[in-house]
Amino acid sequence: QGSRSRETLPAVVDRTCFLFAMAVENFRQPQFPWCTLVLVFSVVISQICVLVGNFKTATVMNELGHSTKGWSKVGVGVARSLEMELDEQMVNVSKMLLDGVAHVSFVQDALDGILSLVGNTTDATIDSSPEIALLQQGPAGVALLQKQQNANGTNHTSLESLTPLIMSAVHNVLQTVMEKVNTTLNDLLVKIKPALLQVGTWMLQFGNKIQAGIEAFSATLDKVQKIFDQIMSQLHGKGGNEELMLNQTFNLFDVTEDGLISAEDLKDVATLYSITALQGDLSDQLVKKYDTEGDGKLSKDEMLLLVNDPAIPNSMSVILRTYARRLAEIAGNVAAARQRDEVALAVVEYFQLVCAKNMTRVGWVADRLGNRSLPEAFTADVLIQLCLTEDDPNKLTTGSAGQVVVGEMYRIHPRNTLEALDMLSNTSFWDAEGFDVQDQPLCMKRVTGWVTKAKKNMLQMTSDTKVTSILQESIPEPASILELIGLLGVKSEDGALLQTEDERALDALPDVAERLAEGSVDLFLLEKQQRERRRHNEYFGSHTSQMLLTKLLGGVSVRAATKGGSAAEQAGKRGVMARPETLEFARWLANNASSTAKERQQMCFDYSSQSSSAMDSFATQIQGMVSQIQGFIDQMMKYATPAGIEQLESDIREFADEGMQDIMKLVETRILSVLNASSPKLEIAIHQAAHKAGEQLGQKLGSALGTPLGDALSPALKGIVAEMTNSSSAANGLIGDELSKEIGQALANLTSKALAKEGGDLMEQLVDEAIKGGSSTAEKLLKQLTGNNLVTPQAASLLSGTPGLHHAYPGPRTSRRLAKDQVAAMMGEDGGDIDKVLSLLSTTHRGPEDQVMEALSGVWNTLVNTLKSLMNTIPTAVSTLKYARKEVSKLHGNLNSIFSVFEEKGPQLFDTIAWYYRTIWMGYFMFLLPLNLFVLYYAFWACGYFGGPAPLLLEVEEAEGPKTWREKCSVCMTSSTLWLQRYHDSTACFWSVVLFMQIIVLVIFMASIALCIISAVKALILAGCDQVYILADDTICSETLATLRSWLSTFTVNHAEQPLTVVCEADGLLTCGLIKNKMMTSTILTTVFSLVSTILSLQLILDSAVLHEQARWRRLAHMLYLKEAASDQPGPSAASSSRS
């Protein structure tokens, strides 16, 4: 400092001038803007990275659209397989089981018929036998039978030849009937076995492993759909069809159908459509909030404000989508219906839904029901189903669908509606259609009430007397409910309505119809009971048929044991296939409902950018369907397993082998019973006759021996008398002769008694030996008649081995011998008391019936128990299968409705989002790129390139004014751009540009914030992907599709030739695998580089301010240089320089 202080002033000035000159010279030289170049390059690179990241995001959107289409194809493929395969299999199984039920009923009657026919044949043959008739008349009959045998010269009874004849007649009848029964049983097995095999296949298809795969697939389907819905709703937002949605949903909100919406309507909607937000006091609060007129109800304009309230978001789409989903399910049910009751119930469900929405469609269907294009019985079935489902809590309306439908039918076709009602009054019709006749009184009351109300409404609306007079003329005398309704309430000739009495009569008709139906039902049930009783008496009126029924079935007929007249009959009657015109009507209705549901789904999609509501779940619906099918499988598992089928076949084979033998054994027992009741009388009579003949023979032998003995003793007796009298007189000879006579007579008497006793015993033995020979001949004849079908080598004939028969069989015991007490009774004083002898016989020996019960095989009880189990199981299983079919058709309709719309709208929406996304970010980049290049240009210009900052001309030479129109336009354009030419680098212009650039930086910052938000959406998608492995792993995805194929063999995504192993990748099913890497890359590029671009852009603004200062100093240096140059060059140029 000291040295500097000693410098002189001229030296300091010279030093300063030198430095200034050096600075001026430096500013006059161009400088390369490295810093700005690096900043601009970095900003452009950052913005390019952001652009690339956003393009990747757009590509992800395209791939999401492709994935949406792929998963939609999967959903539609599942729906198609459910309809074409599983539903058809269920229809076939149901039909086969119902045919089996009908065949079981036929088998019941056949088995009862066998017992009846065999019993009647046996008793008729026995009753036509004169021998048994004589035996049953007692001793007198036995005597007549003996005389007949003696006259015929036979030495044994004819009962031995009678038994084979009876057995031969029974065998011929039984063999013919049993062949038919066995054929019927085999036909039953042929009919029911395919159904059982299919159930066995379902047991494998719905096993635990496949069920786990189905649950995983259904959960994935829900997850994918919800991911897509979240993306579409966040990126696309609401559509522009709000007014259309309000028009479509207003009628659904208007539950009371009065044209306005009250708080009660909203509460009913909350219950019907499961909108929990509207339950409680919120409905009252919302109505109060938006009710501008103060009447407590909302008009359409006020309702538009309510549905946009944040408390109930997307309420219109939730309600309309629920309606569309239910309509799609009904369309599936109608399309799948094959049987008459199924079509009728599906039509009623359609009515219950559309009555709350579209009366025009109600009128169309009501017209078809009443114009006789459909069978009248089907129309009556629809009326019955309307009655039975009137209290259904699942219907989407609080009103009476039956009243609306019947009112429309009566308005369009009054006469045909009354005829359908008249058909309902017939209890036999109810039974023939498979309905419970106990429901008839209630339904008659309801339907009659609907008709009478419709008639009163018509009479109040019309003044046409011609129609009523036609009705009056067509029914001259009332005789039924139909005729009463037609007559009551007609107008008189002057047009005055006869209301006083006719209205009261119309109001009373429902109760009258109910009472008449109750009486008809009671009469019908009584007649049915009497028919069953008459049938039983006709089948089992004979003694043998009752014995067969008792011994084989415990006294209960096959029909009664299996309850063949209840649930099985109703199931068979309900399972009647619908007529072609009815099925054609069902197809028309299904197509109409399906197209309407698809249209409503598209409206909801356009409005909310979502394919389903938050509470909708395919997984729940699929699990419900699987549960119903599993319930059916559990019911049929006893017979559907290989062991169950083998057991059923074994029972039928055993019955074919043993059933006929059991009957023949019992028939033999019946014959034995008759013979045992008669043969003791004959046996006692024969033994009495033989003993009497022996006594007579002994007496005759004794008499024959008495005279010769007397003659032989006469000489000896005479000698003895002579010795005693010591004389030989003639008197001694006379005394000797008399003594010889007396002694001979005494000896004859003694001999007669002894010979009579021994001769009687010997005669009985001789008779027994004779009977033994005759019975052996009869036995051989019996064996020839019965053959191997009845008598096996292991089991001898009961006729030959049962004690009590008069004939004998070969063996140790060759004849039936009477016990000692029986002989004593016969030979004693009470020998003629046959009843006492029979009593002793019954207490001494077991009867043949006791022995035959031990020889029965039990196949009859086994078969009846099998039939009973089938008759109890199949109707319930068929009913369960119907419910399962409804779930299948509902799922098919729902999947087809949603995913067909999703397949059409999803890719289109994602492609649109991707196009707009690319366009916006390309525009954003193209907008920022020129600004960045302009900053770079400004940097080079401020640093001396491109001419550098030139001195501003403060004075402008005046130009000549324009004269022509073209010159004037040129001057105007020049003047408007003059500020860019001369004042572009002024302070005001520069800082204006700086402010503009700050706004651009703010836009960039907002864009970075938006990208961060989008990145959060991407992170949400990626987080959802982490939870579903099927969407990321090709192996797991292919295995899941293979599981679906094992469940539904017809399942395809595009076509049957495409392998499932390539579907996941080709159709974009690996949603997470496709987007994960790109989504992660795009997230990093967009978030990081958008923030970097914002920071660098702000730094560019600061750098531009530095460049502006450089440019200003360069301009000053240039001006000084020009001044210095001007001072060195005198003349005009110097003067001009001084001016500048």
Side-chain angles (χ1 to χ4, degrees):
Q1 290 180 354
S3 62
R4 287 183 181 179
S5 63
R6 289 194 295 268
E7 288 187 88
T8 61
L9 182 60
V12 172
V13 172
D14 292 339
R15 184 181 178 86
T16 303
C17 291
F18 174 79
L19 292 175
F20 184 75
M22 289 294 293
V24 170
E25 185 64 23
N26 187 35
F27 275 113
R28 288 185 66 249
Q29 296 298 325
Q31 296 179 354
F32 198 85
W34 289 104
C35 182
T36 305
L37 181 62
V38 171
L39 284 174
V40 171
F41 182 77
S42 299
V43 169
V44 172
I45 293 299
S46 298
Q47 291 174 352
I48 290 175
C49 290
V50 172
L51 181 64
V52 171
N54 286 312
F55 270 40
K56 285 183 176 293
T57 302
T59 303
V60 169
M61 295 300 171
N62 292 122
E63 292 180 351
L64 284 175
H66 179 63
S67 182
T68 301
K69 187 173 184 179
W71 279 105
S72 297
K73 289 181 179 179
V74 172
V76 173
V78 172
R80 182 172 55 248
S81 295
L82 289 174
E83 179 186 20
M84 297 176 59
E85 180 181 349
L86 188 58
D87 184 74
E88 287 297 325
Q89 290 175 354
M90 288 182 170
V91 170
N92 294 333
V93 169
S94 178
K95 186 176 184 301
M96 286 186 287
L97 290 178
L98 289 175
D99 290 344
V101 168
H103 220 72
V104 169
S105 299
F106 182 73
V107 171
Q108 294 171 356
D109 293 336
L111 294 178
D112 285 340
I114 289 176
L115 302 183
S116 174
L117 185 60
V118 171
N120 293 337
T121 302
T122 302
D123 285 354
T125 306
I126 291 174
D127 293 341
S128 62
S129 171
E131 291 85 352
I132 295 179
L134 289 174
L135 288 175
Q136 291 176 347
Q137 292 179 6
V142 172
L144 291 176
L145 182 59
Q146 284 181 315
K147 291 181 179 180
Q148 180 181 358
Q149 292 173 345
N150 294 331
N152 295 334
T154 59
N155 59 353
H156 61 84
T157 177
S158 61
L159 290 176
E160 286 81 356
S161 60
L162 176 63
T163 300
L165 294 177
I166 297 176
M167 294 300 297
S168 176
V170 173
H171 175 265
N172 292 333
V173 173
L174 183 59
Q175 187 172 22
T176 302
V177 177
M178 284 296 293
E179 288 177 357
K180 294 181 179 180
V181 171
N182 292 334
T183 302
T184 303
L185 288 173
N186 290 327
D187 291 342
L188 171 63
L189 193 59
V190 169
K191 289 181 179 296
I192 202 173
K193 186 175 180 179
L196 299 180
L197 293 175
Q198 180 60 62
V199 176
T201 303
W202 285 345
M203 290 172 63
L204 300 177
Q205 289 180 340
F206 290 90
N208 294 332
K209 181 178 179 180
I210 296 182
Q211 281 196 34
I214 295 172
E215 291 177 2
F217 165 75
S218 59
T220 302
L221 202 61
D222 277 337
K223 188 67 177 179
V224 169
Q225 187 189 28
K226 294 302 183 286
I227 290 175
F228 291 151
D229 285 346
Q230 287 178 352
I231 297 173
M232 291 185 295
S233 61
Q234 291 179 5
L235 296 181
H236 189 267
K238 288 187 177 181
N241 61 340
E242 188 176 59
E243 189 69 26
L244 178 61
M245 287 289 292
L246 182 63
N247 292 332
Q248 291 294 331
T249 57
F250 189 83
N251 290 339
L252 299 178
F253 279 107
D254 185 16
V255 178
T256 55
E257 301 180 6
D258 58 355
L260 296 172
I261 297 173
S262 63
E264 291 299 322
D265 288 334
L266 294 180
K267 292 176 182 178
D268 290 337
V269 167
T271 303
L272 295 174
Y273 296 94
S274 301
I275 304 178
T276 56
L278 287 175
Q279 297 175 355
D281 298 333
L282 183 60
S283 298
D284 298 314
Q285 297 174 7
L286 290 175
V287 171
K288 185 177 180 180
K289 180 178 179 180
Y290 295 103
D291 180 20
T292 58
E293 298 180 0
D295 57 355
K297 295 185 177 182
L298 302 179
S299 62
K300 268 193 176 183
D301 295 335
E302 295 169 338
M303 192 63 192
L304 184 59
L305 300 175
L306 183 142
V307 294
N308 289 316
D309 192 277
I312 49 172
N314 295 325
S315 58
M316 288 195 297
S317 61
V318 170
I319 291 177
L320 189 59
R321 186 176 287 116
T322 303
Y323 175 85
R325 178 174 58 82
R326 189 71 65 86
L327 187 60
E329 292 174 353
I330 292 174
N333 288 341
V334 176
R338 299 289 187 276
Q339 299 169 1
R340 186 172 52 201
D341 64 323
E342 293 177 340
V343 180
L345 182 58
V347 170
V348 169
E349 291 176 347
Y350 176 83
F351 277 136
Q352 290 177 338
L353 184 66
V354 299
C355 278
K357 180 73 175 62
N358 195 327
M359 284 301 300
T360 302
R361 298 182 186 276
V362 174
W364 292 349
V365 182
D367 178 52
R368 287 294 302 273
L369 291 175
N371 63 6
R372 294 184 184 275
S373 62
L374 297 172
E376 189 175 7
F378 175 73
T379 301
D381 286 350
V382 172
L383 295 180
I384 294 174
Q385 294 287 7
L386 280 170
C387 166
L388 297 177
T389 58
E390 178 70 10
D391 300 324
D392 184 7
N394 295 320
K395 62 181 181 180
L396 295 182
T397 179
T398 58
S400 173
Q403 180 63 69
V404 174
V405 174
V406 173
E408 281 295 301
M409 290 178 60
Y410 190 81
R411 182 183 64 83
I412 302 172
H413 304 288
R415 179 67 184 181
N416 296 342
T417 304
L418 293 179
E419 290 180 354
L421 175 61
D422 187 59
M423 185 172 288
L424 260 65
S425 64
N426 187 348
T427 307
S428 298
F429 171 78
W430 280 74
D431 182 70
E433 297 296 300
F435 294 104
D436 188 356
V437 296
Q438 299 290 352
D439 295 327
Q440 186 189 12
L442 174 63
C443 288
M444 280 301 299
K445 181 178 181 179
R446 281 182 176 175
V447 179
T448 304
W450 295 338
V451 173
T452 55
K453 186 175 181 180
K455 183 174 182 64
K456 289 193 292 185
N457 292 337
M458 285 186 61
L459 293 174
Q460 292 173 0
M461 291 186 297
T462 181
S463 58
D464 187 3
T465 60
K466 184 176 181 180
V467 175
T468 56
S469 63
I470 289 176
L471 288 175
Q472 188 176 20
E473 292 172 0
S474 61
I475 309 175
E477 294 183 2
S480 66
I481 297 295
L482 180 148
E483 297 168 345
L484 287 174
I485 295 176
L487 281 176
L488 292 175
V490 298
K491 296 177 180 294
S492 61
E493 294 298 329
D494 58 359
L497 183 62
L498 305 177
Q499 292 183 346
T500 306
E501 297 182 359
D502 286 4
E503 262 195 26
R504 288 199 297 268
L506 283 172
D507 292 338
L509 278 181
D511 294 328
V512 173
E514 181 182 24
R515 288 194 293 270
L516 290 175
E518 289 174 350
S520 177
V521 169
D522 293 340
L523 181 60
F524 176 83
L525 294 177
L526 179 61
E527 292 177 349
K528 185 176 182 179
Q529 185 178 7
Q530 291 175 348
R531 284 196 303 271
E532 290 295 324
R533 187 179 295 111
R534 285 197 299 270
R535 176 187 179 278
H536 184 84
N537 294 334
E538 290 174 0
Y539 272 61
F540 306 105
S542 65
H543 180 80
T544 303
S545 62
Q546 291 179 3
M547 184 268 293
L548 292 173
L549 183 65
T550 301
K551 301 300 181 181
L552 292 176
L553 301 176
V556 182
S557 67
V558 180
R559 181 180 177 87
T562 55
K563 300 180 181 179
S566 54
E569 288 185 356
Q570 288 187 359
K573 293 171 182 176
R574 286 197 302 268
V576 176
M577 300 299 292
R579 293 175 59 177
E581 57 267 33
T582 305
L583 294 177
E584 182 273 333
F585 165 74
R587 287 191 294 270
W588 169 80
L589 188 61
N591 293 333
N592 183 277
S594 179
S595 61
T596 303
K598 184 177 180 180
E599 180 183 352
R600 300 297 184 270
Q601 287 282 5
Q602 289 177 342
M603 291 180 185
C604 295
F605 193 96
D606 294 338
Y607 175 72
S608 64
S609 299
Q610 294 181 345
S611 61
S612 65
S613 301
M615 299 301 294
D616 293 340
S617 174
F618 292 117
T620 302
Q621 199 168 5
I622 291 176
Q623 289 172 7
M625 176 201 70
V626 172
S627 177
Q628 288 284 353
I629 297 176
Q630 190 62 51
F632 167 76
I633 293 173
D634 292 340
Q635 291 174 341
M636 296 297 299
M637 186 177 295
K638 178 180 179 181
Y639 303 103
T641 60
I645 296 175
E646 176 61 29
Q647 182 62 45
L648 188 61
E649 293 176 340
S650 175
D651 291 342
I652 292 177
R653 284 196 304 267
E654 289 180 0
F655 180 81
D657 295 337
E658 303 291 339
M660 186 173 177
Q661 293 187 22
D662 285 351
I663 292 180
M664 292 303 295
K665 291 174 184 177
L666 290 173
V667 170
E668 291 178 3
T669 305
R670 167 61 176 152
I671 298 173
L672 291 177
S673 299
V674 175
L675 295 180
N676 284 339
S678 304
S679 61
K681 300 178 182 179
L682 179 60
E683 187 174 3
I684 293 173
I686 291 174
H687 280 78
Q688 287 179 345
H691 198 82
K692 186 177 182 181
E695 288 180 345
Q696 291 177 353
L697 180 59
Q699 291 175 358
K700 290 181 179 180
L701 288 175
S703 299
L705 292 174
T707 301
L709 287 175
D711 294 340
L713 293 173
S714 178
L717 289 174
K718 288 181 180 179
I720 292 171
V721 171
E723 290 177 359
M724 291 177 64
T725 58
N726 295 317
S727 63
S728 55
S729 60
N732 292 336
L734 291 174
I735 294 172
D737 290 338
E738 291 297 328
L739 285 173
S740 63
K741 290 180 180 178
E742 293 294 332
I743 292 173
Q745 186 63 36
L747 290 173
N749 292 336
L750 292 174
T751 303
S752 296
K753 290 182 178 181
L755 290 176
K757 180 179 180 181
E758 294 299 329
D761 293 341
L762 180 60
M763 190 63 68
E764 288 185 38
Q765 293 179 3
L766 293 175
V767 169
D768 284 340
E769 292 295 332
I771 292 175
K772 173 183 175 182
S775 63
S776 300
T777 303
E779 183 179 355
K780 292 179 182 179
L781 178 59
L782 177 62
K783 289 183 178 180
Q784 293 176 358
L785 289 172
T786 56
N788 294 329
N789 290 330
L790 296 179
V791 181
T792 61
Q794 291 80 10
S797 172
L798 292 173
L799 289 174
S800 61
T802 303
L805 281 178
H806 189 66
H807 60 275
Y809 65 95
R813 184 174 182 176
T814 58
S815 65
R816 180 184 183 274
R817 304 299 299 166
L818 297 177
K820 293 182 178 180
D821 51 356
Q822 297 169 355
V823 174
M826 182 174 65
M827 297 301 296
E829 297 179 356
D830 298 328
D833 192 353
I834 295 178
D835 293 333
K836 182 177 180 180
V837 176
L838 292 177
S839 176
L840 291 172
L841 283 172
S842 63
T843 58
T844 304
H845 297 279
R846 296 176 58 199
E849 294 182 3
D850 297 328
Q851 295 185 358
V852 79
M853 289 301 296
E854 300 175 359
L856 295 180
S857 63
V859 294
W860 280 81
N861 277 325
T862 301
L863 181 63
V864 171
N865 289 333
T866 301
L867 296 178
K868 180 179 179 180
S869 179
L870 288 174
M871 292 296 281
N872 291 335
T873 301
I874 291 180
T876 306
V878 169
S879 179
T880 304
L881 188 60
K882 281 190 176 183
Y883 286 112
R885 278 196 64 218
K886 287 188 65 176
E887 294 299 322
V888 170
S889 58
K890 283 181 180 179
L891 180 60
H892 151 254
N894 202 10
L895 287 172
N896 194 47
S897 173
I898 291 178
F899 281 106
S900 61
V901 174
F902 205 25
E903 182 180 6
E904 178 183 350
K905 293 288 187 177
Q908 178 183 349
L909 182 59
F910 276 109
D911 290 342
T912 302
I913 293 174
W915 185 86
Y916 278 112
Y917 201 78
R918 285 192 180 93
T919 302
I920 290 173
W921 286 105
M922 178 59 74
Y924 174 79
F925 176 77
M926 296 305 296
F927 174 73
L928 293 180
L929 181 62
L931 293 177
N932 293 324
L933 294 178
F934 173 75
V935 171
L936 183 60
Y937 170 78
Y938 181 76
F940 276 98
W941 177 82
C943 290
Y945 292 93
F946 306 113
L952 294 177
L953 297 177
L954 300 178
E955 295 182 5
V956 180
E957 296 180 359
E958 294 183 3
E960 185 178 357
K963 296 180 180 180
T964 63
W965 181 82
R966 183 175 182 180
E967 291 177 351
K968 291 180 180 180
C969 290
S970 177
V971 170
C972 179
M973 292 295 295
T974 302
S975 300
S976 63
T977 59
L978 184 62
W979 68 277
L980 291 175
Q981 297 175 9
R982 296 187 177 181
Y983 306 102
H984 61 280
D985 202 27
S986 65
T987 302
C989 179
F990 174 78
W991 290 111
S992 297
V993 174
V994 169
L995 290 175
F996 175 73
M997 292 297 293
Q998 288 178 344
I999 295 174
I1000 298 301
V1001 171
L1002 180 62
V1003 172
I1004 297 174
F1005 178 73
M1006 296 300 295
S1008 66
I1009 297 298
L1011 290 173
C1012 290
I1013 296 174
I1014 295 174
S1015 299
V1017 176
K1018 298 175 185 178
L1020 178 64
I1021 297 173
L1022 295 176
C1025 286
D1026 291 338
Q1027 302 172 12
V1028 186
Y1029 301 108
I1030 298 176
L1031 302 179
D1033 192 302
D1034 183 49
T1035 303
I1036 298 177
C1037 179
S1038 299
E1039 289 177 354
T1040 302
L1041 295 183
T1043 301
L1044 285 179
R1045 177 67 65 82
S1046 63
W1047 176 40
L1048 301 170
S1049 60
T1050 59
F1051 168 72
T1052 58
V1053 177
N1054 293 307
H1055 49 80
E1057 291 77 15
Q1058 183 185 32
L1060 293 180
T1061 54
V1062 303
V1063 169
C1064 294
E1065 185 175 355
D1067 288 274
L1069 302 186
L1070 301 175
T1071 307
C1072 296
L1074 291 173
I1075 69 176
K1076 193 170 185 179
N1077 294 331
K1078 295 181 180 179
M1079 191 72 79
M1080 185 65 69
T1081 303
S1082 66
T1083 302
I1084 295 174
L1085 290 174
T1086 53
T1087 53
V1088 174
F1089 286 97
S1090 63
L1091 293 175
V1092 171
S1093 175
T1094 303
I1095 296 172
L1096 293 177
S1097 297
L1098 182 61
Q1099 183 62 35
L1100 267 180
I1101 295 175
L1102 299 177
D1103 188 67
S1104 299
V1106 174
L1107 292 173
H1108 173 70
E1109 287 299 314
Q1110 289 182 1
R1112 189 172 68 85
W1113 282 101
R1114 281 183 178 277
R1115 184 179 293 112
L1116 291 175
H1118 197 184
M1119 289 176 63
L1120 290 175
Y1121 173 76
L1122 291 178
K1123 286 181 180 181
E1124 184 179 352
S1127 63
D1128 293 339
Q1129 298 177 3
S1133 60
S1136 62
S1137 299
S1138 63
R1139 287 196 298 269
S1140 63

